Amino acid sequence: MLRQGDIDNRIHQGSADAMLEGGRIHRMIQKSMGPDYHPEVSLSFDKDFGEYHLFIEGRADGILDKYMDEPKTSLELGQESFLEKSSLRPMIDEIKGTYRDLSKMKEADSVHLAQAKCYGAMYLLDRHYTDVDIRLTYCNMDTEEKRYFDTTYTYDEIVGWFYELLEMYRKWAEFECQWNVLRTKTIKSTNFPFEYREGQKDLAAAVYRTIVHGRKLFLQAPTGTGKTISTVFPTVKAMGEGKVSKIFYLTAKTITGSVAQEAFGTMRKTQGLKLKTANITARDKICFIDEDKRNCNPVACPYAKGHYDRINDAVYDLLISEDSFDRDKITEYAKKHQVCPFEMSLDMSLFADAIICDYNYLFDPFVYLKRFFADGKEKDYCFLVDETHNLLDRGRDMYSAALKKESFLSLKNTVKEYHPRIAGHLDKCNKALLELKRQCTSEYKVYDSIEGFITALNRLSTIMSEYLEDHDEGPCREEILQFYFDVSRFLTIYDLVDDHYVTYGEFAEDGGFILRLSCIDPSRNLALCMDRGISTILFSATLLPIQYYKSLLGGTKEDYEIYAKTVFDPKKLGIFIGTDVSSRYSQRSYDMYHKVALYIDSVTRAKKGNYLVFFPSHQYLYEVYSIFEEEFYDPEDTELLAQSSFMTESAREEFLSRFSTGNDLDLSSIIHMDLEVVEDKNVLGFCVMGGIFSEGIDLKNDSLIGVIIVGTGIPMVCNEREIIRNFFEEKGLDGFDYAYRFPGMNKVLQAAGRVIRTVDDVGTATLLDDRFMQGSYRALFPREWSGYRTVSTDSVKEAASQFWSGFDGA
């Protein structure tokens, strides 16, 4: 209610280490205040507004009051005692740890003062003192120097101010109360918005039961099971029964978030559901300012200037006007009220029943939504995690950190003229890394301890934090700030390191030395995040093998798993395995590339239509592309496209549009053979497996009738993969499965999943690698692939033609 002023990233915010140090400062001050000083006093206030109670609670850092141990009302004390008590004043103490130069502080922060005043008002309402002292104690966490700001308020002044604050908040509370009644009423009357497909009702019921029992559900849901609506609908119904207060729909990609938005929208349109949803779009994607001028401070951004003066009006305007706080609505209202759209989206999430956002807003230790999860307590939230197979690698990345030795030297040389103290500590860190580097005599070195470096790094972090808090501007400040973020991340991750991690050093391609904290098994960290809610539903069309994902994504024996039945006819997907080709490095040659090109030609000639071919790397793609272009390509019959190593978002959209439209588009960043598009041409797209076109695209009906997948998708051998392999082998598991085979087959399954998108679709998936016939790979095939056929370059065209002849119009 009392926010004001600007968004300003020049004002340094403390790190997690600073928060821990702040706790130490609190305890130090509290212990020094004597026997009449009572630390960590819980306070509360309950106001009856008729249709609802407003309950306010908080915890004062300290209260100085010798009567605290014998709380009595003024009537119980009697007139004489009341007079004695009224001659004394309690003191409410609010302690704030900081690295700021206290001599430059002119007054207490207004919001800090308001916080303490709330405690003072609640205390006087309970204790009936005639007045109260409000103290803000600021303590420099490095020097332990203290500065006090004291203000005295009468009972009428502070209680009157408190009641005015409640009145300011009242319209928000009343809206929330009335909305909850309306939302619950409409949820109870909401039915499943479609005719149930086979098995879909059982799937929705399983999701509901999982929520009721407070468990996790790992759901292998093949395309066509309607997994989005089958998870969203029962969760909404659980909200109507009071079992869930807020739904978080978590995605790895924007496009899957839009599918969730459609599911909520469908229930609104067809069932009259009243439910507010908020989409959180990444700051960089929703910002109004050009990227080269983007900076979140009042000098660089007009939306940052005075943001907090206008944001409450903006939020309330959108809140009472719309039920879907999607990207378009956020930007519309943010422009109307001249506020930051990203910060507005975060505020709108407070008033949303369902929040659609990226994984990192729950799982990332640096980005998670602190307004919901900072206290670490379990709440009645439900998490729906879409495309869960992506969470493993994302989880590893979010809980890992790295620092490069040469970065310390570079910054030292940059700042030494202006900040010799910082430069000195950078040099100490560099020397500690040099010692670790000397121990790395092979491809990589696993370390049992890096305590020497961590000691130096902690000191550097403190010195940098002091400088940033005292200087809003200055030479090299931006460089110091960015490096401070890297250091803070490393130290925060270091505090999490346990037997789920490997700490190792390796050499970069440029010869630089990198120290890594690598989270190999993120299960513990992810589970702790999911414990913030009562239930989590994790689902994907490619969650195989399901026990692999369950163990690494925080599942327990008590949690559930389901393999949902597909509603698609398996006979409509022809699975062919080419057994006379291999993508092994040892067998890569012109002859093998030529065989692959021949396979592509044979499959695409068996049935005219659009195809995607997925390769293990860009290099492999280019080798086959050049052969196919020279020997098999017919520009009169086929338009040939290829994914380049870097593609802009618009280029990706143009690439995909070729599969559904004949518009002549600018494909300057796409390798192609002919820009002229003839209506009955085939479109053949060459892509990289595991890349931007292998998942998250939805080419229905005749937009795509086949995929050709070259290789088993296994990642390249590298230090990271070998460390993963060794980690699991030391635990008695098959390290190759965990580091290579399972991740590779997931890429294969994702690529194959591009073909059949609706019950009417018919198509083929041709897998080119003899390893697919090994039992270890066939064991990873989905149930729907049981009718696969083996082929060779000589037989594939006939086999594909025979498959297509079984369908009308072939």
Side-chain angles (χ1 to χ4, degrees):
M1 291 296 95
L2 300 180
R3 293 183 294 180
Q4 60 183 358
D6 311 323
I7 297 173
D8 197 341
N9 63 358
R10 298 170 302 176
I11 299 175
H12 174 58
Q13 302 295 324
S15 65
D17 285 340
M19 293 177 66
L20 292 173
E21 184 67 5
R24 182 189 69 81
I25 292 294
H26 275 64
R27 293 187 293 273
M28 179 193 75
I29 294 174
Q30 289 164 343
K31 289 178 180 178
S32 70
M33 293 298 290
D36 290 333
Y37 186 93
H38 302 265
E40 306 299 331
V41 180
S42 295
L43 299 166
S44 64
F45 176 78
D46 187 356
K47 176 71 172 177
D48 184 357
F49 282 109
E51 59 181 328
Y52 64 91
H53 278 260
L54 185 61
F55 184 71
I56 303 168
E57 60 181 341
R59 190 167 62 183
D61 291 331
I63 297 180
L64 185 61
D65 179 2
K66 70 178 183 178
Y67 288 101
M68 271 201 69
D69 294 330
E70 300 176 4
K72 296 179 181 179
T73 67
S74 57
L75 291 176
E76 291 171 324
L77 285 166
Q79 185 63 28
E80 184 177 348
S81 296
F82 176 70
L83 289 174
E84 178 188 351
K85 186 173 183 182
S86 65
S87 67
L88 299 173
R89 273 201 306 268
M91 183 188 74
I92 309 296
D93 191 17
E94 181 62 26
I95 303 168
K96 300 295 181 184
T98 181
Y99 286 115
R100 291 154 70 181
D101 183 349
L102 299 183
S103 65
K104 295 179 180 179
M105 291 188 67
K106 297 180 179 180
E107 59 185 5
D109 182 280
S110 61
V111 177
H112 295 167
L113 177 60
Q115 178 187 359
K117 286 172 69 176
C118 286
Y119 297 147
M122 288 191 282
Y123 192 67
L124 261 60
L125 283 165
D126 181 58
R127 299 286 178 135
H128 301 280
Y129 281 99
T130 57
D131 45 22
V132 63
D133 286 337
I134 301 297
R135 166 171 287 185
L136 268 295
T137 300
Y138 290 92
C139 182
N140 184 288
M141 292 187 287
D142 187 40
T143 66
E144 297 186 0
E145 174 192 1
K146 293 182 280 292
R147 183 160 186 191
Y148 306 102
F149 294 94
D150 294 307
T151 312
T152 300
Y153 298 91
T154 67
Y155 179 97
D156 290 341
E157 285 175 336
I158 199 164
V159 171
W161 171 88
F162 184 63
Y163 281 151
E164 287 176 4
L165 185 61
L166 297 187
E167 282 301 313
M168 290 173 61
Y169 184 71
R170 189 171 177 178
K171 71 175 183 179
W172 301 86
E174 288 182 351
F175 181 89
E176 184 174 355
C177 178
Q178 294 164 5
W179 176 259
N180 288 347
V181 172
L182 177 61
R183 180 196 67 195
T184 300
K185 180 181 178 182
T186 62
I187 289 177
K188 289 183 179 297
S189 63
T190 295
N191 296 312
F192 195 75
F194 306 106
E195 181 178 345
Y196 278 113
R197 299 173 183 172
E198 183 182 357
Q200 201 169 31
K201 190 172 185 178
D202 292 338
L203 179 56
V207 171
Y208 187 87
R209 287 194 299 270
T210 301
I211 295 170
V212 170
H213 293 144
R215 302 293 188 191
K216 302 182 194 75
L217 172 62
F218 291 81
L219 174 60
Q220 161 68 16
T223 303
T225 53
K227 59 182 183 295
T228 303
I229 193 65
S230 297
T231 53
V232 167
F233 172 73
T235 310
V236 169
K237 296 298 282 187
M239 177 177 282
E241 296 301 320
K243 303 182 185 305
V244 172
S245 66
K246 198 173 288 285
I247 302 166
F248 290 82
Y249 194 101
L250 302 151
T251 73
K253 295 181 173 65
T254 303
I255 189 168
T256 48
S258 64
V259 174
Q261 186 66 37
E262 289 175 11
F264 288 112
T266 297
M267 288 189 286
R268 288 193 191 103
K269 293 175 183 177
T270 65
Q271 302 296 310
L273 175 66
K274 293 293 184 181
L275 191 111
K276 292 190 180 291
T277 56
N279 291 66
I280 300 179
T281 306
R283 186 191 300 271
D284 289 344
K285 291 184 178 181
I286 202 172
C287 182
F288 295 144
I289 306 302
D290 293 340
E291 186 174 356
D292 59 336
K293 300 177 181 178
R294 193 174 296 162
N295 212 340
C296 300
N297 64 63
V299 175
C301 177
Y303 300 95
K305 185 175 179 59
H307 167 89
Y308 293 114
D309 299 329
R310 301 182 295 271
I311 185 59
N312 285 359
D313 289 339
V315 169
Y316 194 75
D317 188 8
L318 179 53
L319 179 65
I320 64 175
S321 303
E322 306 287 345
D323 288 349
S324 175
F325 315 143
D326 58 20
R327 180 174 178 171
D328 291 342
K329 289 299 178 184
I330 292 288
T331 55
E332 176 188 340
Y333 281 78
K335 286 182 178 179
K336 176 181 176 181
H337 291 272
Q338 289 290 291
V339 296
C340 169
F342 177 71
E343 292 295 331
M344 183 176 179
S345 70
L346 296 181
D347 282 343
M348 295 311 303
S349 71
L350 289 168
F351 301 94
D353 305 303
I355 300 169
I356 302 168
C357 59
D358 189 88
Y359 292 162
N360 57 19
Y361 292 109
L362 171 63
F363 295 109
D364 193 304
F366 305 95
V367 183
Y368 74 95
L369 295 171
K370 295 178 178 61
R371 60 194 67 204
F372 297 111
F373 309 128
D375 61 8
K377 296 178 181 178
E378 177 185 308
K379 299 182 178 69
D380 53 350
Y381 301 153
C382 184
F383 306 125
L384 306 180
V385 185
D386 198 357
E387 301 293 351
T388 298
H389 62 277
N390 287 303
L391 183 57
L392 178 53
D393 284 341
R394 285 285 299 275
R396 283 174 171 155
D397 289 342
M398 286 186 283
Y399 285 95
S400 297
L403 288 172
K404 192 173 183 180
K405 175 186 175 297
E406 288 67 28
S407 299
F408 289 83
L409 275 176
S410 176
L411 184 61
K412 172 193 168 185
N413 292 331
T414 301
V415 306
K416 61 184 179 182
E417 179 181 350
Y418 309 101
H419 311 292
R421 189 181 181 205
I422 293 176
H425 286 280
L426 285 164
D427 187 57
K428 291 178 181 178
C429 290
N430 177 63
K431 289 178 178 177
L433 283 172
L434 180 60
E435 179 59 33
L436 294 172
K437 177 182 177 181
R438 287 170 177 158
Q439 298 176 37
C440 186
T441 57
S442 57
E443 290 290 322
Y444 62 88
K445 167 68 177 177
V446 175
Y447 300 106
D448 294 327
S449 173
I450 56 170
E451 281 300 321
F453 172 65
I454 293 299
T455 299
L457 195 65
N458 268 314
R459 189 58 184 155
L460 172 65
S461 175
T462 299
I463 299 300
M464 283 184 159
S465 187
E466 290 175 6
Y467 166 77
L468 292 168
E469 190 144 5
D470 286 342
H471 299 83
D472 291 345
E473 297 177 348
C476 309
R477 187 185 189 279
E478 187 62 28
E479 291 88 342
I480 292 171
L481 177 64
Q482 294 305 317
F483 198 79
Y484 174 78
F485 289 152
D486 294 338
V487 168
S488 294
R489 177 186 179 89
F490 195 92
L491 289 171
T492 300
I493 295 300
Y494 182 75
D495 287 338
L496 300 174
V497 170
D498 57 12
D499 59 357
H500 294 70
Y501 279 76
V502 173
T503 300
Y504 69 98
E506 66 175 350
F507 293 98
E509 291 184 3
D510 63 1
F513 178 72
I514 301 173
L515 181 64
R516 297 188 184 277
L517 307 174
S518 185
C519 182
I520 307 300
D521 177 359
S523 59
R524 179 179 177 274
N525 292 326
L526 297 178
L528 288 172
C529 294
M530 289 184 279
D531 286 345
R532 296 164 177 163
I534 60 165
S535 180
T536 304
I537 313 299
L538 304 101
F539 51 100
S540 169
T542 58
L543 207 60
L544 297 175
I546 202 163
Q547 294 301 328
Y548 161 72
Y549 285 104
K550 187 177 180 182
S551 65
L552 292 182
L553 297 181
T556 66
K557 293 180 180 178
E558 292 75 23
D559 294 326
Y560 312 135
E561 65 263 5
I562 291 178
Y563 192 133
K565 182 179 180 181
T566 180
V567 298
F568 296 159
D569 181 355
K571 295 179 181 178
K572 288 186 175 182
L573 176 63
I575 301 291
F576 303 105
I577 300 177
T579 58
D580 56 345
V581 285
S582 173
S583 65
R584 293 180 180 88
Y585 290 101
S586 60
Q587 297 187 34
R588 294 186 181 184
S589 63
Y590 177 86
D591 289 342
M592 190 59 70
Y593 298 140
H594 190 278
K595 269 191 174 183
V596 171
L598 179 58
Y599 262 109
I600 295 169
D601 182 64
S602 299
V603 171
T604 56
R605 289 187 183 279
K607 170 68 175 178
K608 193 177 184 67
N610 297 340
Y611 292 83
L612 284 173
V613 188
F614 294 97
F615 295 91
S617 67
H618 284 283
Q619 182 60 41
Y620 203 120
L621 181 156
Y622 295 142
E623 296 287 354
V624 176
Y625 184 98
S626 61
I627 295 172
F628 188 89
E629 173 191 0
E630 182 177 347
E631 295 193 30
F632 302 103
Y633 175 59
D634 179 0
E636 299 297 322
D637 180 65
T638 302
E639 180 182 10
L640 189 60
L641 307 173
Q643 175 186 343
S644 60
S645 56
F646 174 77
M647 298 179 75
T648 64
E649 190 170 343
S650 61
R652 300 171 197 173
E653 293 173 356
E654 290 168 353
F655 183 101
L656 291 175
S657 72
R658 290 295 184 164
F659 289 82
S660 56
T661 180
N663 294 334
D664 190 7
L665 301 170
D666 178 16
L667 297 178
S668 57
S669 64
I670 301 176
I671 303 171
H672 57 90
M673 297 305 302
D674 188 357
L675 282 176
E676 182 184 359
V677 180
V678 180
E679 194 170 309
D680 61 349
K681 270 189 177 184
N682 297 322
V683 178
L684 180 59
F686 282 33
C687 307
V688 175
M689 204 183 327
I692 54 178
F693 299 118
S694 62
E695 65 175 289
I697 62 172
D698 202 19
L699 298 173
K700 299 177 181 178
N701 303 316
D702 291 336
S703 295
L704 186 72
I705 67 166
V707 296
I708 300 166
I709 301 168
V710 183
T712 58
I714 63 173
M716 291 181 62
V717 175
C718 61
N719 291 343
E720 178 188 17
R721 287 288 140 186
E722 286 301 289
I723 285 169
I724 293 174
R725 179 177 185 166
N726 294 335
F727 178 90
F728 288 106
E729 284 185 350
E730 288 174 4
K731 294 183 178 296
L733 299 167
D734 189 323
F736 185 82
D737 280 351
Y738 279 73
Y740 295 102
R741 184 177 288 116
F742 292 164
M745 273 303 295
N746 191 271
K747 294 179 185 177
V748 171
L749 297 175
Q750 279 292 324
R754 300 311 95 205
V755 183
I756 304 297
R757 309 301 297 176
T758 74
V759 292
D760 298 319
D761 286 355
V762 179
T764 61
T766 306
L767 315 182
L768 302 183
D769 200 299
D770 58 5
R771 285 173 289 182
F772 284 118
M773 289 309 298
Q774 296 175 5
S776 54
Y777 282 96
R778 285 187 289 110
L780 302 177
F781 285 6
R783 296 171 184 171
E784 300 77 38
W785 287 13
S786 59
Y788 68 84
R789 292 181 57 182
T790 57
V791 293
S792 65
T793 48
D794 295 329
S795 64
V796 65
K797 184 176 181 181
E798 180 182 351
S801 298
Q802 186 178 4
F803 167 81
W804 286 111
S805 67
F807 298 95
D808 293 337

